[in-house]
Amino acid sequence: MPEWYGYTGRVLRVDLTKKEVKVEELRKDWARLYIGGAGIGARILWEELAPKTDPLSPKNILVVATGPFAGTPIPGSGNIFYTFKSPQTGAWAETRSGGSFGPKLKFAGFDFIIIKGKADKPVYLWVHDGTAEIKNAEHIWGKTVHETTDILLEEVGEPEASVACIGPAGEKLVKYAAIMNDYDRAAGRCGGGAVMGSKNLKAIVVSGEEEVHVADPDKFYEAVMEASDAMRNYFFQDSIGRLGTIGLVNGLNAAGALPTKNFATLHFPEADNISGETLAEKYLIKRRGCYACTINCGRYSWVPFGQFFAPPHEGPEYETADMMGAMTLTDNLEAIIRANYLCNNYGLDTISTGNTIAFAMELFERGIITEKDTGGLKLEWGNPEVLITLINQIAKREGFGDLLAEGTKRAAEKIGKGAEEFAVHVKGLEVPAHDPRGESRSFAIQYAVTPRGACHMHPNWAGAYDFIPLDNGLKPYGLPWPPPDKFAETGVNRGVAYRLLAIHGELAEMVGLCRFYLWGGEDYGLACMTPKRIATLYSTLTGFEISDVELMKAGERVWNLKRCFNVREGFTRKDDKLPKRLLEPVQTGPTKGQAVKNLEGLLDEAYEAFGWDKKTGIPTREKLEELGLKDVADELERQLGQLP
């Protein structure tokens, strides 16, 4: 009988400085407490990464993490997670991608890879059949993502292998460089590509035929079929499934929730020109899905000829269409597709890239920067040629792009002259294409407190609760229902609701689910991955019996551990803030005049619900001990002198 079910039970440890690889056994106590994925990734960083480590130094640690669901037929299980300290924020970082890399890492024989050190020359990691080799990558240093993938698949002689790699942006240490896999799938946020580049690690290639063993095959099969049948009624199948995430453009614009002109407004009159409907009509080749996906939200598109020619590739997603489009007032979808193709190939996060370019355009409009600063470029709104030029410059750190490659926070600090007022980020991570003034005030809490900075997806999409609204199967755990008006702030149990949304999101990051599968509700046949469904799947797969209530507690444990990581790095309530722009009234459109008015009150209510001290935002000793994190509390107390 296998010793492990669901997991391989093996961790690959890589020291690039020493050129050493070794295999260790996964800790079963950690599997039970933190489940897997970013959950165990958080515990690894807590144990092994010293506080105040420079994110781009050899001492930073990159954890490549799968969840126990990876490599199984569970819907939405084709995910890979990376955890590290972010070069953008200096805080906790995690980033996720779909495709097939996660499952194929499991098939190669490993649940996790822990990477430390720095190679003395460019290398890649070849992981296969329970073994690993560090191989020379000097011949592919400087190559794009697509070129690197093609070369390595031929070099290892495994056309079905999966390649995760960086492009030139990661090599140049662009602060928001992405880790790309399977050509066009992006683990985009927080600068993981820069961390790989700082380690001279060009790529990780995985392949193998190891099986994922199942503890109770009959009950597991029954649970998988039940979940698959339920997902046929998925709420977003007609929009995200049929049109891709870019299918959200017109709907959000109509609702007054489409970030436009560097968040000055939330309505773009030309939105239909960059919409999912227009993409489907003119540029779509076919739909694509990740491993074990039933939604197939991926778009495979191209621009066959002309100024903005772009070969067939995946995308663009909603975030890209908005950040490259409405945010810069660019209504040319061909230019946006070209921009997406370039970002994929250079290995750039399209959210931070588009946000940063929009920020620069506003500074230019206001005269804070001029052509003297930009090298002669006129950073005019709606100019697609400038958009493409800046992407090329950022990826290569050339000209004005070298400054923009630092992201809005650092660029604003270097520019000065009041530029900080127009930099729309939290803790250094640029705000994505969801605005708390237009979608939900829950995003005000999420952007302020989520451990990696402004993020709409980690740990969960806050807008599902009151913008749609959906209960996500959380009523049995105390979700206030019906939800309040989406613009209501304090006194409506928003903190209580957000706590449950965050914990539910952590479940996906631990077991290895796509976040899209979390969203549904009783009115739609609970066509989503509820805590109860996840617990049943996990128990029958791994043989580790766990109830839905116990699973939610594990999610809360991981949520608090990530917070403690940031506390150890020096982050407190003073850092849980929103950029000035999101506190200002929306200028035009259906949500004209809306603004976040009482962030401090929202934080008070959220901290109370979380069990965090209101004054400092630090989890209390009582809360940490309740979650089995006494050792974490002890370490923080040694550092801080006293815990609340």
Side-chain angles (χ1 to χ4, degrees), residues 312-372:
H313 67 286
E314 287 198 50
E317 303 287 342
Y318 162 72
E319 296 290 331
T320 309
D322 181 71
M323 288 287 144
M324 303 293 180
M327 281 281 284
T328 67
L329 300 187
T330 300
D331 66 352
N332 185 321
L333 187 53
E334 292 189 358
I336 293 168
I337 295 171
R338 175 68 183 175
N340 181 75
Y341 171 75
L342 289 174
C343 286
N344 285 1
N345 244 322
Y346 286 137
L348 282 170
D349 171 23
T350 59
I351 296 175
S352 287
T353 302
N355 181 309
T356 302
I357 290 172
F359 157 73
M361 287 180 171
E362 179 160 3
L363 296 189
F364 190 85
E365 178 186 47
R366 292 177 177 274
I368 294 174
I369 57 174
T370 67
E371 290 176 62
K372 184 178 179 181

Side-chain angles (χ1 to χ4, degrees), residues 90-408:
W92 162 263
E94 63 185 279
T95 185
R96 170 219 156 265
S97 181
S100 65
F101 186 85
K104 289 184 178 180
L105 176 56
K106 285 278 275 292
F107 301 155
F110 298 98
D111 296 306
F112 297 87
I113 307 174
I114 303 172
I115 303 171
K116 298 181 178 181
K118 178 180 180 179
D120 58 4
K121 60 184 178 181
V123 298
Y124 72 92
L125 190 62
W126 169 218
V127 184
H128 58 101
D129 305 304
T131 64
E133 306 168 61
I134 299 172
K135 301 179 73 82
N136 189 293
E138 290 176 288
H139 59 301
I140 51 174
W141 199 255
K143 300 292 187 184
T144 67
V145 168
H146 288 188
E147 290 169 340
T148 298
T149 303
D150 285 337
I151 291 169
L152 291 181
L153 289 177
E154 182 175 356
E155 190 167 302
V156 302
E158 294 284 353
E160 297 302 313
S162 182
V163 177
C165 66
I166 59 173
E171 298 172 7
K172 296 287 187 179
L173 307 185
V174 175
K175 292 297 194 299
Y176 42 90
I179 302 172
M180 307 295 299
N181 63 272
D182 304 315
Y183 291 98
D184 292 304
R185 290 286 169 172
R189 309 235 65 196
C190 298
V195 173
M196 282 184 64
S198 73
K199 294 181 176 299
N200 275 336
L201 179 61
K202 178 66 173 178
I204 305 170
V205 188
V206 297
S207 181
E209 298 182 355
E210 182 163 320
E211 296 181 24
V212 178
H213 299 288
V214 177
D216 191 331
D218 291 340
K219 289 185 178 179
F220 177 67
Y221 176 77
E222 181 181 328
V224 170
M225 292 308 297
E226 189 277 333
S228 299
D229 288 343
M231 289 305 299
R232 291 177 182 175
N233 297 316
Y234 179 57
F235 179 81
F236 289 102
Q237 190 63 56
D238 186 55
S239 57
I240 291 178
R242 181 173 62 89
L243 291 173
T245 60
I246 194 175
L248 299 174
V249 167
N250 277 334
L252 288 174
N253 191 58
L258 186 74
T260 302
K261 199 178 182 184
N262 198 29
F263 294 95
T265 185
L266 301 178
H267 184 258
F268 187 39
E270 289 76 31
D272 188 58
N273 293 344
I274 63 171
S275 67
E277 289 83 356
T278 301
L279 180 77
E281 178 186 349
K282 296 183 176 181
Y283 307 106
L284 183 68
I285 298 172
K286 61 181 178 180
R287 293 167 58 181
R288 278 192 166 178
C290 300
Y291 180 94
C293 181
T294 60
I295 299 171
N296 297 318
C297 73
R299 306 294 96 178
Y300 195 61
S301 61
W302 70 330
V303 177
F305 50 80
Q307 179 183 4
F308 300 112
F309 165 74
H313 67 286
E314 287 198 50
E317 303 287 342
Y318 162 72
E319 296 290 331
T320 309
D322 181 71
M323 288 287 144
M324 303 293 180
M327 281 281 284
T328 67
L329 300 187
T330 300
D331 66 352
N332 185 321
L333 187 53
E334 292 189 358
I336 293 168
I337 295 171
R338 175 68 183 175
N340 181 75
Y341 171 75
L342 289 174
C343 286
N344 285 1
N345 244 322
Y346 286 137
L348 282 170
D349 171 23
T350 59
I351 296 175
S352 287
T353 302
N355 181 309
T356 302
I357 290 172
F359 157 73
M361 287 180 171
E362 179 160 3
L363 296 189
F364 190 85
E365 178 186 47
R366 292 177 177 274
I368 294 174
I369 57 174
T370 67
E371 290 176 62
K372 184 178 179 181
D373 303 294
T374 66
L377 279 177
K378 293 183 178 181
L379 306 191
E380 298 169 333
W381 294 110
N383 187 327
E385 290 85 1
V386 168
L387 175 69
I388 299 302
T389 297
L390 286 177
I391 291 172
N392 285 315
Q393 287 190 355
I394 289 168
K396 299 173 184 178
R397 279 192 175 270
E398 294 178 348
F400 187 59
D402 187 35
L403 176 62
L404 298 186
E406 293 295 302
T408 56

Side-chain angles (χ1 to χ4, degrees), residues 498-518:
Y498 186 74
R499 172 182 169 271
L500 290 169
L501 294 170
I503 293 170
H504 189 209
E506 292 290 356
L507 304 191
E509 297 179 1
M510 296 187 302
V511 299
L513 276 175
C514 172
R515 202 69 87 267
F516 287 5
Y517 286 78
L518 299 182

Side-chain angles (χ1 to χ4, degrees), residues 475-499:
K475 289 182 186 178
Y477 313 98
L479 183 74
W481 199 264
D485 181 88
K486 64 182 181 179
F487 298 133
E489 296 192 358
T490 57
V492 293
N493 290 317
R494 196 171 289 284
V496 173
Y498 186 74
R499 172 182 169 271

